[in-house]
Amino acid sequence: MLKLVKTNSENKDFILLVKQLDAYLKITDGDEHDFYNQFNTTNSLKHVVVAYLNEEPIACGAIKAFSKNKVEVKRMFSSKKARNKGIATKVLKALEDWALALNYKAMVLETGIRQTEAVAFYKKNKYTSIPNYGQYIGVENSLCFQKIIKE
């Protein structure tokens, strides 16, 4: 049975999943991993969702304030067991609903050009490409996306 749990970045299962994510990104990001990793700290994330399948943590994601009206999606990850089952979409939808409840109007995120599965996932979930923002301006291997969740 699938269960989604709202928590924070101190959750031990979230920490475990993020370690798996970082191991994957270290391979796909290659020499650029240290650059990206500096923006992916998980300390003090207050809005984290962890997905459990039969009590096993299999997917996660988080949001953090980006501006007055926007949150940034952080640390989205699905273990191999969770892929192609719609679980990541459920985690993302839970984060969108949480952002709405907090009165945010849009979600933004950055992913790498080499994370082709992630790019396809966000497009499938109606995120649209935007110019690179913040620390990602001018970074050729970064892709930024946005979704308006409230008009």
Side-chain angles (χ1 to χ4, degrees):
M1 183 172 89
L2 184 68
K3 178 172 72 170
L4 299 180
V5 174
K6 287 181 175 180
T7 184
N8 61 40
S9 58
E10 294 177 9
N11 178 287
K12 66 180 178 48
D13 294 325
F14 175 69
I15 293 167
L16 173 78
L17 289 164
V18 166
K19 284 181 183 177
Q20 293 175 35
L21 170 61
D22 286 339
Y24 166 75
L25 292 175
K26 189 167 189 163
I27 294 165
T28 60
D29 289 341
D31 293 340
E32 298 170 331
H33 180 70
D34 289 340
F35 168 77
Y36 289 112
N37 203 39
Q38 69 182 319
F39 306 117
N40 290 323
T41 60
T42 57
N43 51 343
S44 73
L45 290 173
K46 297 176 184 160
H47 305 98
V48 170
V49 172
V50 177
Y52 294 85
L53 186 60
N54 301 323
E55 305 302 317
E56 180 184 353
I58 57 165
C60 65
I63 53 173
K64 72 174 195 175
F66 180 76
S67 69
K68 181 181 174 195
N69 296 318
K70 296 178 184 178
V71 290
E72 185 175 26
V73 178
K74 303 298 287 182
R75 313 315 280 159
M76 281 292 298
F77 177 72
S78 294
S79 67
K80 287 183 181 181
K81 287 182 183 180
R83 294 191 186 147
N84 300 312
K85 295 180 175 155
I87 295 169
T89 294
K90 289 179 181 177
V91 170
L92 186 58
K93 177 71 172 122
L95 292 170
E96 291 171 0
D97 291 345
W98 204 351
L100 272 171
L102 294 168
N103 293 314
Y104 289 99
K105 296 180 181 186
M107 314 270 286
V108 297
L109 64 93
E110 181 276 341
T111 192
I113 202 164
R114 295 181 196 101
Q115 280 80 47
T116 55
E117 300 95 344
V119 172
F121 169 75
Y122 291 119
K123 287 181 177 180
K124 180 181 92 176
N125 283 283
K126 305 205 180 335
Y127 282 72
T128 56
S129 185
I130 59 171
N132 286 8
Y133 57 81
Q135 63 268 26
Y136 307 112
I137 293 172
V139 179
E140 290 180 21
N141 291 317
S142 285
L143 297 171
C144 293
F145 292 88
Q146 175 174 275
K147 181 176 182 180
I148 304 300
I149 55 173
K150 182 180 182 181
E151 295 295 330

